[in-house]
Amino acid sequence: MHVLLTGASGFLGSAFVGLLGCFPEIELSVLRSSHAECVLPLGSRELFVQNLEAVSGIEKVLGARVPTHIIHLAALSSPAACEQQPKLAHAANVGFTRTLVQLASKLGCHITVASTDLVFEGSPARAAGFSESDTPSPRSAYSRSKADAESAALLYARSCVVRLCLLYGHTHSKSRGALGWIEDKLHSKEELVLFEDEYRTPIHVADAAHALLQLARRQALGVWHCGGPERLSRVQFGLTVAEALGYDPSVIRPARRADVPSTPERPEDVSLSSDKLWTLLGAVPRTLRTALVEE
Ligand SMILES: NC(=O)c1ccc[n+]([C@@H]2O[C@H](COP(=O)([O-])OP(=O)(O)OC[C@H]3O[C@@H](n4cnc5c(N)ncnc54)[C@H](OP(=O)(O)O)[C@@H]3O)[C@@H](O)[C@H]2O)c1
């Protein structure tokens, strides 16, 4: 197996790279458009391209060592940044995906594309969560670009789209995922306002990386949901983090969404049902508390 990875310096990318460190038999080439710091396993190749939208440039840096699998994680992943720069969001999220799908099709390799639970932001989830057969209803620039990227990926017969939920955990990346600002506030004992009526199905970033690798290894096709085993409100998330990491939970102030409007507006409930994935892998990912205590 030879993996060509994008987004290696990011939050999920660095967890994925860390995981591959345990699989020396997997060859790793990392395709990058930035020089952000990135810790790679010994023996991996770092390939720089100025423009992730040109297949020819990527082929040139790849040379004769062509991948069997592409794992595409690179994205403009901040919803606020996408709202401010919708053209850049489209180029980064849809343009890069189109290029990599074109490359996969040319090389005849399998491609796994990271997407998001936020493609469902237009309507609240049922108690069991959205399943793969539910129709996306994107509203923001970020979620529209990710939904368009999904459509571009699914045109290729050997593609797998993985809708990830809120990711948390600690990695080498500068991006800090869902824990970053929560831990900062808990640490400095500042008031932490969290919603009691906004729900996610969070998953530890290492468990998400493991799922991505397993889906790629099995050459899974179509859409897969990748969330954790619990549907948690933001308050429940914060209280569990405080309890598991030994912080004072009394700084957490529960609020209702209507009381603190946000820009861009965050969806109320994008919980996903990930039963299809867990059945395939034969295991359910860790709960928030277990994953934090084990980290
Ligand atoms: N974090 C979450 O909670 C979450 C939830 C659902 C879905 N996702 C999806 O999972 C994937 C990885 O997310 P992440 O949180 O790891 O993202 P991230 O920390 O923001 O990292 C994204 C990486 O993409 C690369 N990149 C290439 N072009 C870029 C551009 N124009 N702007 C910004 N970055 C660019 C960079 O890696 P290089 O320097 O190596 O090129 C960057 O480190 C994304 O597709 C995201 O949409 C994330």
Side-chain angles (χ1 to χ4, degrees):
M1 185 174 184
H2 174 184
V3 171
L4 177 67
L5 175 70
T6 70
S9 74
F11 184 59
L12 177 57
S14 49
F16 191 84
V17 163
L19 175 67
L20 282 201
C22 308
F23 295 91
E25 73 279 12
I26 300 178
E27 186 175 350
L28 175 64
S29 297
V30 166
L31 186 64
R32 313 199 51 208
S33 60
S34 83
H35 287 267
E37 198 182 333
C38 187
V39 183
L40 295 176
L42 270 176
S44 43
R45 277 200 302 171
E46 207 170 2
L47 310 171
F48 288 97
V49 281
Q50 279 199 332
N51 179 4
L52 273 181
E53 287 189 71
V55 174
S56 56
I58 302 175
E59 282 183 310
K60 208 165 160 187
V61 292
L62 270 177
R65 282 160 67 188
V66 295
T68 53
H69 297 74
I70 297 175
I71 312 266
H72 178 40
L73 310 181
L76 188 59
S77 68
S78 149
C82 289
E83 214 58 47
Q84 279 161 9
Q85 296 173 280
K87 277 193 184 153
L88 179 65
H90 191 271
N93 297 348
V94 189
F96 294 176
T97 305
R98 282 207 182 110
T99 308
L100 289 161
V101 168
Q102 227 181 311
L103 180 72
S105 153
K106 218 169 160 188
L107 301 176
C109 66
H110 182 265
I111 183 165
T112 305
V113 173
S115 188
T116 170
D117 51 4
L118 294 178
V119 294
F120 292 113
E121 68 179 351
S123 43
R126 296 178 300 277
F130 290 109
S131 77
E132 288 83 353
S133 57
D134 287 314
T135 307
S137 50
R139 274 204 314 220
S140 66
Y142 173 66
S143 57
R144 277 195 303 273
S145 69
K146 295 300 281 186
D148 288 350
E150 286 189 359
S151 305
L154 293 169
L155 290 175
Y156 175 50
R158 297 191 64 202
S159 70
C160 170
V161 166
V162 186
R163 292 188 186 132
L164 299 151
C165 294
L166 186 71
L167 302 175
Y168 65 88
H170 298 95
T171 72
H172 291 300
S173 173
K174 281 202 178 118
S175 312
R176 294 172 63 205
L179 284 183
W181 69 280
I182 291 185
E183 264 194 290
D184 287 349
K185 295 258 182 185
L186 288 170
H187 188 71
S188 59
K189 298 189 168 67
E190 276 177 72
E191 182 183 69
L192 174 57
V193 179
L194 292 173
F195 294 136
E196 58 194 12
D197 54 353
E198 187 173 298
Y199 297 90
R200 300 290 185 267
T201 39
I203 179 166
H204 192 278
V205 66
D207 293 348
H210 170 78
L212 284 169
L213 179 60
Q214 293 308 319
L215 286 167
R217 280 196 129 161
R218 289 168 162 85
Q219 311 225 12
L221 302 176
V223 178
W224 294 79
H225 285 181
C226 180
E230 306 156 291
R231 174 179 177 265
L232 298 176
S233 71
R234 297 273 181 182
V235 172
Q236 289 168 323
F237 185 87
L239 288 173
T240 308
V241 171
E243 192 258 323
L245 301 182
Y247 291 111
D248 176 8
S250 68
V251 299
I252 295 175
R253 182 166 72 77
R256 295 194 68 78
R257 285 161 49 89
D259 300 334
V260 191
S262 63
T263 312
E265 196 184 310
R266 289 201 315 224
E268 172 188 329
D269 186 350
V270 286
S271 302
L272 298 188
S273 155
S274 306
D275 292 351
K276 180 175 138 183
L277 175 66
W278 303 341
T279 305
L280 179 86
L281 302 185
V284 174
R286 295 170 294 174
T287 61
L288 174 61
R289 190 179 186 288
T290 305
L292 289 178
V293 169
E294 283 180 4
E295 227 185 15

